[in-house]
Amino acid sequence: MTRYETLADEIEAAVQRGVFGAGERVLSVRRASRQYGVSIKTVLHAYALLESRGVIESRPQSGYFVRGRANGHAPGGAAGPAAAGSGNPGSAGGSGARRAAKPPPAAPTPAPAQVDVSRLVLSTLRNIRVQDAVPLGSPYPDPSLYPWRRINQYANAIARRHASWNLIDDLPPGNPELIRQIARRYAENGAPVDPDEIVVTVGATEAINLSLQAVAKPGDTVAVESPTYYAMLHAIERLGMRAIEVPTHPALGIDLDALARVVARQKIAACMVMPNFQNPLGFQMPDERKAQLVELLGAREIPVIENDVYQELYFGDTRPSTLKRFDTRGLVLHCASFSKSLSASYRIGWAMPGRFRAQVEKLKFLNTLTTPSVPQVALADYLRHDGYDRHLRRLRRFYRQQARLMSAMVLRFFPAGTQVSEPQGGYVLWVELPARIDSMRLYEAALARGVTIGPGYMFSMRNDFHHFIRLNYSYPWTSQTEAALKMLGELVASMA
Amino acid sequence: MTRYETLADEIEAAVQRGVFGAGERVLSVRRASRQYGVSIKTVLHAYALLESRGVIESRPQSGYFVRGRANGHAPGGAAGPAAAGSGNPGSAGGSGARRAAKPPPAAPTPAPAQVDVSRLVLSTLRNIRVQDAVPLGSPYPDPSLYPWRRINQYANAIARRHASWNLIDDLPPGNPELIRQIARRYAENGAPVDPDEIVVTVGATEAINLSLQAVAKPGDTVAVESPTYYAMLHAIERLGMRAIEVPTHPALGIDLDALARVVARQKIAACMVMPNFQNPLGFQMPDERKAQLVELLGAREIPVIENDVYQELYFGDTRPSTLKRFDTRGLVLHCASFSKSLSASYRIGWAMPGRFRAQVEKLKFLNTLTTPSVPQVALADYLRHDGYDRHLRRLRRFYRQQARLMSAMVLRFFPAGTQVSEPQGGYVLWVELPARIDSMRLYEAALARGVTIGPGYMFSMRNDFHHFIRLNYSYPWTSQTEAALKMLGELVASMA
């Protein structure tokens, strides 16, 4: 145990003993530093860890408080009682504070944990930023792989072309030339779309949020994969809906029989899936299953939100098909972005919302008015003039190699009983550890050693993935990567 | 009446006679063109007008349908029954389709109208874009007045400085240097703020949305000014809350006595105001009234969302104070942006949410993940190095002159009984017409003559402002502007 972990445990123990009650302020950072004889940095680190465990929260200009009772107003649907319910149909989500349970070290299997998913994810991302850790836990691709400089050159050229820029030109649905370029990509990949259906958004995150809001309302139940990409859970949580998790096969995708039983048994307002290179599993759903999924839901008029952000990062010969292709009813809301294939920092995504297009366009207008113009036009110019296909071919080849390398290294360094996914695209590996490993404990221990991982808790409201982790293999392989994996393997062995 | 107005009236009459029932498809554009012997363009124009009246709606790949019954799913909280309630406390918002009532021409006073505010606003903006009309109805400043080229040069320099850009660096709360620059502006204006409180957003639109969601939940009642800036009504509508409108004095701001009665009588979850250069009224709320407002609401622990987007566009000697300055309880959520002072197309805004900072930051993360990096850094560089103050001094001088000019011209060309606001900042004039004028009819007639105006219906859920219009004076004065005002004056005289 490092110094800050010890301190965090001491303070958590004090909270559990009631020394600091729910809603009460804990020691100021300065005072804790004096009192425990540690550095300010160690205290901050310990408090960050306690925040990620859901024990305390920081309030601006006020300090750190024990979670449990909000003072004054309850945030609307954002956290606490209104958050997405548990995966068990019929059972209400827990109210009040949630925390990542830290099982007693001696226990043979981890205790059930309830986790505030978005808090955990944000805390994980922060730790990557602040600590300059080996970013195995990052959800984002290595930015150095992307043609950032080229795209900015197009942005520069725009500045020379135009003396000014009129916001009105790029009101929703978005810049017309960018929309045309997006439609052209689909057509070139043998899946023509109607450009008039496209609404440009601030990344796929906004596209998913708007799509969900267009088809479901607070209190509704939404079916998701299990494990699922946490942005799906975020959207559900934020809009005050409830998630029901459907078992998902690591190679075939969402279990259609299980889904059929769910929709037969209860009212499902929408289904959110990632049929291509799902994060974290990495599968590519076979075409016939995509068709079956669309038919199963379509027969009941259930809209399906298709998150296809990894569409360009396939390891096979051609871009995989989409659910959209099989949709005859206008019920598929297809969401994607350039963030994984071209530029994450430009934040350009889009939705093709089928029959819900008018609602999504209106919600876009209400949510952020319009997507920034210059990034839209710069990407349109890049797509029209530059070597996007060449860039993508290189990127796919690199990721395919990295996937193999990372799998081999994990299997080499981790103890027996470890299993890995077989990604068909994208840049993340899903690793199953021996069942008694708690991924939050592993996360904390690894963080203390300068390595981040994605704990399985991020991908489910349930406890099924407590012993899974997600690893990012987009960063070029270095001796540091190898040392990080070796260290992780040793940690797992010591915990097993 | 122009050709397309006649056609629109004919089709509307057919709808009212039940020739086309609610939810049914009206004639395709091509067929209507043949059937009525008019051009495709005339049909499109007529259908756009019918859309703005709320009579029909377009559905992608399907055509135009009579509004009234959604097919399949009802959008969650975005429109229809879940939308913001009427201004009368206790009365439920109307369900189903809403339309801008078009009173019979002979009637002495206009009939009450219920308007889908966001539909009207979006339709107005579209007409500005498509028709290249004189943009008196535009809510945006003339983009040629802003240092767009300079800011883009900073964006270019960023491309040279960095080989790549890491999304993680600019996760919420936002780019640290931009946050520092924003805080510096407040300090220079004698109103120091805590940089740690600032959360960067996609324009003030997102800041307002996130702030409202942080403090209130669906079904809650929110107090707004009357008339109010429609983005406030949009946020309330989108989140499924109810608005209660409080009378607002054209020079002093929201009526504190009326507000006191409202909060004494019923539970108010939040109050949304624009104390400086309110859109559309243009007033600057006096300091003592700002303090009283904060105290009145603070005593009941009611959060107040302060929209301060025009803060830099004052006509007086110094930047006016904010509600934030008088807030000792952390209950003021201050929202602002660079869209009115520096660059609308960069979409950079911010929130300072007081004690709700943690919730707003989390909601930002859930809503759009992060604000695009390059615009953040480019604006930070501009603010650090360039002549922002010089630009603003020029802009303020210009707007002050334009305000005088526009007022004088309206009073000269419009019939007796017309009154105008006295803006203390910003770039819009609020014009009261003789009471029997319906601003939607004026809007349509002006649009047919190539001029847009902002009809009073956009600024209220009630009917109080049916005879008001908002005019944008940010565009340099030309003979075309003068001709447009003269034409408007004649239209008003003929309608009065």
Side-chain angles (χ1 to χ4, degrees):
Chain A
M1 296 260 276
T2 60
R3 201 71 206 253
Y4 81 88
E5 281 179 291
T6 312
L7 176 59
D9 284 359
E10 275 186 54
I11 294 168
E12 184 168 11
V15 168
Q16 275 161 357
R17 285 196 313 270
V19 176
F20 304 108
E24 283 182 8
R25 197 168 185 276
V26 298
L27 291 181
S28 75
V29 172
R30 199 168 301 276
R31 196 155 153 220
S33 158
R34 273 204 307 275
Q35 185 155 333
Y36 291 97
V38 296
S39 72
I40 296 278
K41 199 175 160 194
T42 300
V43 177
L44 285 171
H45 207 150
Y47 280 9
L49 178 56
L50 288 170
E51 275 203 285
S52 79
R53 289 187 193 161
V55 176
I56 62 172
E57 61 188 351
S58 70
R59 297 187 195 152
Q61 298 166 291
S62 308
Y64 290 84
F65 291 78
V66 178
R67 294 190 76 198
R69 275 227 52 78
N71 73 332
H73 271 261
S86 94
N88 296 327
S91 84
S95 71
R98 288 182 175 168
R99 19 180 317 212
K102 199 177 149 195
T109 54
Q114 270 198 308
V115 177
D116 179 335
V117 170
S118 61
R119 177 173 287 265
L120 177 58
V121 171
L122 194 51
S123 147
T124 311
L125 294 176
R126 288 255 165 65
N127 281 322
I128 294 171
R129 176 171 53 169
V130 172
Q131 311 195 16
D132 219 8
V134 181
L136 298 176
S138 170
Y140 307 119
D142 178 355
S144 70
L145 299 172
Y146 292 80
W148 201 84
R149 195 182 284 267
R150 293 292 296 153
I151 297 167
N152 267 281
Q153 284 168 357
Y154 288 103
N156 301 357
I158 296 163
R160 288 194 297 271
R161 278 207 309 274
H162 302 274
S164 66
W165 200 267
N166 201 331
L167 186 66
I168 288 176
D169 296 332
D170 291 327
L171 280 177
N175 177 268
E177 179 57 24
L178 178 63
I179 287 174
R180 211 179 68 76
Q181 291 298 327
I182 292 170
R184 194 177 59 77
R185 290 288 311 166
Y186 282 96
E188 284 174 1
N189 283 287
V193 299
D194 178 1
D196 288 345
E197 198 186 326
I198 296 170
V199 178
V200 178
T201 55
V202 180
T205 305
E206 189 182 38
I208 290 166
N209 274 301
L210 303 180
S211 294
L212 184 59
Q213 194 177 0
V215 300
K217 55 186 189 314
D220 280 355
T221 300
V222 178
V224 297
E225 296 156 326
S226 189
T228 184
Y229 179 49
Y230 46 72
M232 310 289 209
L233 296 177
H234 290 172
I236 293 167
E237 170 190 346
R238 174 172 162 272
L239 293 167
M241 301 169 188
R242 299 166 54 79
I244 179 163
E245 298 188 25
V246 180
T248 297
H249 188 277
L252 302 174
I254 194 165
D255 183 327
L256 297 175
D257 293 335
L259 181 61
R261 284 192 297 274
V262 166
V263 299
R265 199 173 51 211
Q266 66 183 112
K267 183 152 171 39
I268 297 295
C271 180
M272 303 179 87
V273 291
M274 209 167 174
N276 294 322
F277 323 129
Q278 194 243 22
N279 184 335
L281 291 171
F283 61 77
Q284 175 180 331
M285 207 174 172
D287 272 13
E288 67 275 15
R289 294 181 75 92
K290 283 177 179 154
Q292 287 163 10
L293 176 62
V294 170
E295 181 51 34
L296 166 65
L297 296 171
R300 291 180 181 266
E301 293 274 311
I302 298 172
V304 51
I305 295 165
E306 174 180 36
N307 179 346
D308 204 23
V309 291
Y310 297 110
Q311 54 180 252
E312 300 279 16
L313 304 185
Y314 50 87
F315 296 166
D317 293 332
T318 55
R319 187 155 96 170
S321 67
T322 59
L323 294 186
K324 189 87 192 162
R325 197 186 117 189
F326 300 102
D327 179 31
T328 54
R329 295 179 177 88
L331 283 169
V332 173
L333 298 93
H334 177 95
C335 301
S337 86
F338 290 114
S339 296
K340 314 303 183 201
S341 53
L342 206 42
S343 167
S345 58
Y346 268 65
R347 312 289 313 125
I348 300 291
W350 62 91
M352 290 194 286
R355 68 163 80 151
F356 304 98
R357 184 193 175 285
Q359 290 100 301
V360 168
E361 185 186 33
K362 177 173 158 173
L363 287 169
K364 162 66 194 175
F365 177 68
L366 298 184
N367 193 43
T368 49
L369 193 57
T370 167
T371 307
S373 301
V374 177
Q376 290 192 67
V377 182
L379 287 189
D381 285 356
Y382 175 87
L383 292 169
R384 197 167 50 220
H385 298 300
D386 222 290
Y388 188 36
D389 278 312
R390 200 174 55 240
H391 156 68
L392 285 173
R393 275 195 301 273
R394 202 170 41 225
L395 197 62
R396 289 179 201 123
R397 205 163 42 232
F398 177 74
Y399 283 161
R400 193 166 47 222
Q401 286 165 0
Q402 294 275 110
R404 287 203 202 107
L405 187 56
M406 180 73 88
S407 301
M409 290 294 158
V410 168
L411 293 176
R412 175 172 151 199
F413 290 126
F414 282 47
T418 300
Q419 297 192 60
V420 297
S421 61
E422 292 179 27
Q424 306 297 304
Y427 51 79
V428 298
L429 189 74
W430 185 235
V431 181
E432 180 173 7
L433 306 172
R436 68 168 58 190
I437 304 294
D438 184 82
S439 60
M440 273 308 292
R441 276 185 67 83
L442 182 63
Y443 166 75
E444 289 164 10
L447 184 59
R449 289 160 181 83
V451 174
T452 65
I453 58 170
Y457 289 99
M458 298 202 292
F459 305 93
S460 173
M461 309 289 291
R462 305 204 294 211
N463 197 31
D464 301 354
F465 307 105
H466 70 271
H467 61 303
F468 285 77
I469 59 172
R470 186 191 65 184
L471 300 178
N472 178 325
Y473 53 75
S474 74
Y475 290 81
W477 200 264
T478 65
S479 59
Q480 204 196 11
T481 323
E482 198 154 323
L485 283 179
K486 193 158 178 293
M487 181 278 291
L488 282 175
E490 287 163 5
L491 272 178
V492 171
S494 73
M495 288 177 171
Chain B
M1 292 261 275
T2 60
R3 201 69 205 256
Y4 81 88
E5 282 179 290
T6 314
L7 176 58
D9 285 358
E10 277 185 53
I11 293 168
E12 183 168 13
V15 168
Q16 276 162 356
R17 285 197 314 270
V19 175
F20 304 109
E24 284 183 8
R25 195 169 186 275
V26 297
L27 290 180
S28 75
V29 173
R30 200 167 299 277
R31 196 154 153 221
S33 158
R34 275 203 305 275
Q35 186 155 331
Y36 291 97
V38 296
S39 71
I40 296 278
K41 199 176 160 193
T42 300
V43 178
L44 285 172
H45 207 150
Y47 280 12
L49 178 55
L50 288 170
E51 277 203 283
S52 79
R53 288 186 193 160
V55 177
I56 62 172
E57 62 188 352
S58 69
R59 297 187 195 151
Q61 299 164 291
S62 308
Y64 291 85
F65 291 78
V66 178
R67 293 191 77 198
R69 274 229 51 77
N71 73 332
H73 271 261
S86 93
N88 297 325
S91 85
S95 72
R98 287 180 177 170
R99 16 183 318 210
K102 201 177 148 195
T109 54
Q114 268 198 310
V115 177
D116 179 336
V117 170
S118 61
R119 177 172 287 265
L120 176 59
V121 171
L122 193 51
S123 149
T124 311
L125 294 175
R126 287 257 164 64
N127 282 321
I128 294 171
R129 174 171 55 168
V130 172
Q131 310 194 18
D132 219 8
V134 180
L136 298 177
S138 170
Y140 308 118
D142 178 355
S144 71
L145 299 172
Y146 292 80
W148 201 84
R149 195 181 285 267
R150 292 293 295 154
I151 296 167
N152 267 281
Q153 284 168 357
Y154 288 104
N156 301 357
I158 296 163
R160 288 193 297 271
R161 278 209 309 274
H162 301 273
S164 68
W165 199 269
N166 201 332
L167 186 66
I168 288 176
D169 296 334
D170 291 328
L171 280 178
N175 177 268
E177 179 57 24
L178 178 63
I179 287 174
R180 210 178 69 75
Q181 290 298 326
I182 292 170
R184 194 177 58 78
R185 291 288 310 166
Y186 282 96
E188 283 174 1
N189 282 289
V193 298
D194 177 2
D196 288 344
E197 197 186 326
I198 296 171
V199 178
V200 177
T201 56
V202 180
T205 305
E206 189 182 38
I208 291 166
N209 274 300
L210 303 181
S211 294
L212 184 58
Q213 196 178 357
V215 301
K217 56 187 189 311
D220 279 356
T221 301
V222 178
V224 297
E225 294 156 326
S226 188
T228 184
Y229 179 49
Y230 45 74
M232 310 289 210
L233 296 176
H234 289 173
I236 293 168
E237 172 191 345
R238 173 172 164 273
L239 294 169
M241 301 170 188
R242 298 165 57 78
I244 180 163
E245 299 188 25
V246 180
T248 298
H249 189 278
L252 301 175
I254 194 163
D255 183 327
L256 296 175
D257 294 334
L259 181 62
R261 284 192 298 274
V262 166
V263 299
R265 199 172 52 213
Q266 65 182 114
K267 181 152 175 40
I268 298 294
C271 181
M272 303 178 87
V273 292
M274 208 166 173
N276 294 323
F277 323 129
Q278 194 242 23
N279 184 339
L281 292 171
F283 60 78
Q284 175 181 332
M285 207 174 173
D287 273 12
E288 67 276 17
R289 294 182 75 92
K290 283 177 180 156
Q292 286 162 12
L293 176 61
V294 170
E295 181 51 34
L296 168 65
L297 296 171
R300 291 180 180 266
E301 293 273 311
I302 299 172
V304 51
I305 295 165
E306 174 179 37
N307 179 347
D308 203 23
V309 292
Y310 297 110
Q311 54 180 258
E312 299 279 16
L313 304 184
Y314 51 87
F315 296 166
D317 294 330
T318 54
R319 188 154 97 170
S321 66
T322 60
L323 294 187
K324 188 88 192 161
R325 197 187 116 189
F326 300 101
D327 179 31
T328 54
R329 295 179 176 90
L331 282 168
V332 173
L333 298 94
H334 178 94
C335 301
S337 84
F338 291 115
S339 296
K340 314 303 184 199
S341 53
L342 204 43
S343 167
S345 58
Y346 269 65
R347 312 290 311 124
I348 300 290
W350 63 91
M352 289 192 286
R355 68 162 82 151
F356 305 99
R357 186 195 173 284
Q359 289 100 305
V360 168
E361 185 186 35
K362 177 173 159 175
L363 288 169
K364 162 66 193 175
F365 177 68
L366 298 185
N367 193 43
T368 49
L369 193 57
T370 165
T371 306
S373 301
V374 177
Q376 290 192 65
V377 182
L379 287 189
D381 284 356
Y382 175 87
L383 291 168
R384 196 167 50 220
H385 298 299
D386 221 292
Y388 188 35
D389 277 312
R390 199 173 57 239
H391 156 70
L392 286 173
R393 276 195 299 275
R394 200 169 42 224
L395 196 63
R396 290 179 200 123
R397 204 161 45 230
F398 178 74
Y399 283 161
R400 193 166 48 222
Q401 285 165 359
Q402 293 276 109
R404 288 204 200 106
L405 187 56
M406 179 72 89
S407 301
M409 290 293 157
V410 167
L411 293 176
R412 174 172 152 199
F413 290 127
F414 282 48
T418 300
Q419 298 191 59
V420 297
S421 60
E422 292 179 29
Q424 305 298 304
Y427 51 81
V428 298
L429 190 73
W430 185 236
V431 181
E432 180 172 9
L433 306 171
R436 68 169 59 190
I437 304 295
D438 183 81
S439 61
M440 272 310 291
R441 278 185 68 82
L442 183 62
Y443 166 73
E444 289 163 11
L447 184 58
R449 289 159 181 84
V451 174
T452 65
I453 58 171
Y457 290 100
M458 297 201 295
F459 305 92
S460 172
M461 308 289 291
R462 305 203 295 211
N463 197 32
D464 300 353
F465 307 104
H466 71 271
H467 62 302
F468 285 78
I469 59 173
R470 185 192 63 184
L471 300 177
N472 179 325
Y473 53 75
S474 73
Y475 290 81
W477 201 263
T478 65
S479 59
Q480 205 197 10
T481 323
E482 198 154 325
L485 283 178
K486 193 158 178 292
M487 181 277 292
L488 282 175
E490 288 163 4
L491 272 179
V492 171
S494 73
M495 288 176 170

